[in-house]
């Protein structure tokens, strides 16, 4: 038997040293970077597939971050290198960046500059390098970590002043969302970027995704203090290949939009959980009625669970949230149909070995699961999950601990 694989985070000094070294190798002939910035991946405690339904989500920032060393240029050229794309540089000019015109990982970076320009800010080209300890494609939002690290870097070198307060960070969030949706072409809902830019250490961020809310109304910090409660947030990267993710994600969004149109509401947030039975009845005769009912049932109950979770945590009743996490997972598995065998395995084994609650996190079809575990039980849960993956002949999972950490900066 091998020992469990822990995916450790880097210290800020280590992350900065890595990108400074990489910058010197890639672009050092023309001088030093203007500075180093970084942004975290995120893990969502509850509120899944709710962001694009104007609902609630409750992410925390991971201690795992993406680091960027960046030097502003006077022209429009963008030159990039990443430790995660070794041996190549990615180049474009900002004038060439646009929806459908930009491919490759640099789209997440150049897209942010494009979106800031679209919002009326003056942004020039730049040379930048990237290195990251956020697991890739694990549902922990390495894409948002990359965008948000670049956003705070450009904010800083161009003195935009947006990083200084929560309202400005909400603007940076919007730019990163546009970069991901319109330039990278991933139709994600906005939770990831808000989490990376607006979370804070020791807190979760209660995100209200209704359109038109002010920054203050759209994000509220909720104390999420695990240590005094004797609890640990364990994250398990299942390393499951998530085939078909993009198409499935878009299909879920489309089903929600179709259901909202049939119900005559602007979005599914508008449905009162108390009216769920009546709502189900109204969808019964629609084409694919049973499928639409299940999708709507997930979204409406998940938003209610998220509100309840936040209220418990706010009231210092952290140890009572487990059943809400379990119900969230079951709803994502059965009604929203976005779980995967590996995610279900983590959840089942963690629950059986004493986790207070466990659920998949992120978009699903692979990626990561989380478990709320008493500190004294962590080793037993990790060993049990690792053993269960070995028994099932699955790729060994990666384990992370996630104390709620600092935002982009
Ligand atoms: P997740 O956000 O869950 O990790 P995504 O598929 O949304 O998964 O984003 C992963 C993609 O983001 C990668 O395929 C790559 O294009 C880009 N990316 C993220 N971090 C980096 C990095 N450090 N260097 C280069 N590309 C990155
Ligand atoms: Mg992503």
């Amino acid at each position: 038997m091998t020992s469990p694989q822990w995916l450790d985070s880097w210290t800020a000094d280590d992350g900065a040293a890595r990108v400074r070294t990489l910058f010197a190798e890639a672009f050092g002939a023309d001088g030093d970077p203007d500075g180093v910035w970084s942004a975290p991946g995120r893990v969502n405690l509850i509120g899944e597939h709710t962001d694009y339904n104007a609902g609630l989500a409750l992410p925390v920032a991971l201690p795992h971050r993406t680091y960027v060393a960046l030097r502003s240029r006077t022209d429009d050229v963008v030159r990039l290198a990443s430790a995660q794309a070794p041996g190549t540089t990615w180049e474009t000019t900002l004038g060439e960046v646009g929806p459908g015109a930009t491919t490759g990982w640099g789209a997440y970076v150049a897209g942010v500059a494009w979106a800031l320009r679209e919002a009326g800010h003056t942004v020039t080209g730049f040379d930048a390098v990237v290195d990251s300890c956020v697991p890739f494609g694990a549902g922990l939002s390495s894409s948002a970590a990359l965008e948000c690290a670049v956003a705070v870097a450009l904010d800083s070198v161009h003195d935009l002043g947006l990083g200084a307060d929560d309202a400005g960070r909400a603007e940076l969030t919007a730019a990163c969302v546009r970069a991901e949706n319109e330039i990278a072409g991933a139709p994600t809902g906005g939770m990831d970027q808000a989490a990376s830019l607006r979370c804070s250490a020791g807190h979760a961020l209660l995100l209200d995704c209704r359109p038109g809310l002010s920054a203050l109304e759209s994000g509220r910090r909720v104390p999420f203090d695990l240590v005094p409660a004797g609890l640990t947030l364990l994250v398990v990267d299942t390393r499951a290949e998530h085939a078909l993710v993009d198409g499935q994600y878009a299909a879920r969004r489309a089903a929600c939009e179709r259901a909202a149109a049939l119900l005559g509401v602007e979005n599914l947030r508008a449905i009162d959980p108390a009216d769920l039975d009546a709502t189900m009845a109204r969808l019964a005769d629609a084409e694919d009625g049973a499928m639409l009912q299940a999708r709507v049932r997930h979204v409406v109950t998940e938003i209610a669970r998220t509100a309840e979770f936040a209220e418990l945590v706010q009231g210092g009743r952290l140890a009572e949230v487990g059943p809400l996490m379990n119900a969230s997972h079951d709803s994502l598995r059965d009604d929203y149909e976005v779980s995967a065998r590996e995610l279900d395995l983590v959840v089942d084994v963690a629950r059986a070995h004493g986790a207070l609650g466990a659920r998949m996190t992120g978009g699903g079809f692979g990626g990561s699961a989380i478990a709320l575990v008493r500190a004294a039980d962590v080793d037993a849960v990790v060993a049990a999950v690792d053993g269960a993956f070995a028994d099932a002949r699955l790729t060994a999972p990666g384990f992370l601990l996630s104390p709620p950490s600092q935002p982009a900066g």
Side-chain angles (χ1 to χ4, degrees):
M1 231 184 90
T2 53
S3 50
Q5 292 177 28
W6 285 95
L7 307 175
D8 294 328
S9 56
W10 301 337
T11 64
D13 285 349
D14 189 18
R18 283 169 183 260
V19 284
R20 283 188 184 281
T21 303
L22 187 57
F23 194 93
E25 285 165 16
F27 307 122
D30 303 324
D32 291 332
D34 296 334
V36 171
W37 294 265
S38 68
R42 63 96 190 93
V43 64
N44 192 25
L45 298 173
I46 196 160
E48 219 65 78
H49 286 278
T50 49
D51 55 355
Y52 55 82
N53 287 301
L56 300 173
L58 193 67
V60 298
L62 287 176
H64 300 68
R65 301 175 77 88
T66 294
Y67 292 80
V68 171
L70 181 144
R71 180 180 59 213
S72 183
R73 298 175 60 105
T74 50
D75 60 15
D76 262 5
V77 172
V78 174
R79 294 192 301 172
L80 306 173
S82 168
Q84 281 71 49
T88 58
T89 51
W90 188 98
E91 287 194 35
T92 193
T93 59
L94 287 180
E96 289 172 81
V97 178
T102 313
T103 55
W105 70 271
Y108 293 93
V109 176
V112 175
W114 169 86
L116 287 170
R117 278 188 164 186
E118 289 283 298
H121 299 292
T122 301
V123 172
T124 58
F126 50 90
D127 296 332
V129 302
V130 181
D131 200 351
S132 180
C133 59
V134 181
F136 246 52
L140 301 175
S141 232
S142 70
S143 58
L146 177 57
E147 292 148 7
C148 297
V150 171
V152 290
L154 294 176
D155 176 63
S156 176
V157 298
H158 292 295
D159 284 322
L160 305 182
L162 297 172
D165 60 27
D166 199 41
R169 282 174 177 255
E171 265 193 64
L172 291 176
T173 301
C176 292
V177 173
R178 287 198 70 181
E180 178 140 351
N181 289 173
E182 297 175 50
I183 306 302
T188 53
M191 184 236 303
D192 305 349
Q193 296 82 359
S196 185
L197 282 158
R198 300 177 62 194
C199 277
S200 63
H203 293 77
L205 181 69
L206 180 61
L207 268 182
D208 188 330
C209 302
R210 281 175 293 176
L213 295 185
S214 71
L216 226 56
E217 294 163 325
S218 70
R220 182 161 62 84
R221 287 170 183 180
V222 182
F224 190 70
D225 227 347
L226 293 161
V227 177
L231 297 174
T232 302
L233 185 63
L234 176 69
V235 184
V236 184
D237 172 6
T238 64
R239 295 184 165 140
E241 297 266 351
H242 33 162
L244 296 176
V245 176
D246 290 346
Q248 292 287 350
Y249 190 94
R252 294 301 179 283
R253 279 188 84 139
C256 291
E257 281 164 23
R258 194 148 65 81
L262 284 168
L263 294 164
V265 291
E266 200 175 323
N267 53 56
L268 297 183
R269 176 69 180 279
I271 296 167
D272 187 333
D275 295 337
L276 193 57
D277 287 347
T279 305
M280 293 296 107
R282 290 181 59 197
L283 290 169
D285 295 330
E287 194 190 341
D288 293 333
M291 183 272 282
L292 293 179
Q293 284 176 325
R295 304 296 188 250
V296 171
R297 191 162 52 230
H298 166 70
V299 172
V300 173
T301 59
E302 182 77 355
I303 293 170
R305 280 188 289 272
T306 307
E308 204 183 322
F309 190 121
E311 216 161 279
L312 283 174
V313 171
Q314 186 80 55
R317 295 163 65 190
L318 195 52
E320 295 171 44
V321 301
L324 293 168
M325 296 173 75
N326 291 338
S328 169
H329 183 80
D330 297 352
S331 173
L332 287 157
R333 181 192 60 211
D334 301 336
D335 276 344
Y336 221 62
E337 297 183 275
V338 292
S339 191
R341 172 182 169 222
E342 294 84 350
L343 293 167
D344 294 341
L345 184 61
V346 175
V347 164
D348 292 343
V349 173
R351 287 178 191 168
H353 286 78
L356 275 60
R359 59 181 290 275
M360 55 160 278
T361 186
F365 306 107
S368 297
I370 56 172
L372 189 64
V373 182
R374 285 182 205 87
D377 294 338
V378 171
D379 290 342
V381 171
V382 166
V385 170
D386 202 50
F389 270 59
D391 290 346
R393 298 180 182 280
L394 295 167
T395 307
F399 297 93
L400 297 66
L401 296 181
S402 182
S405 299
Q406 307 277 0

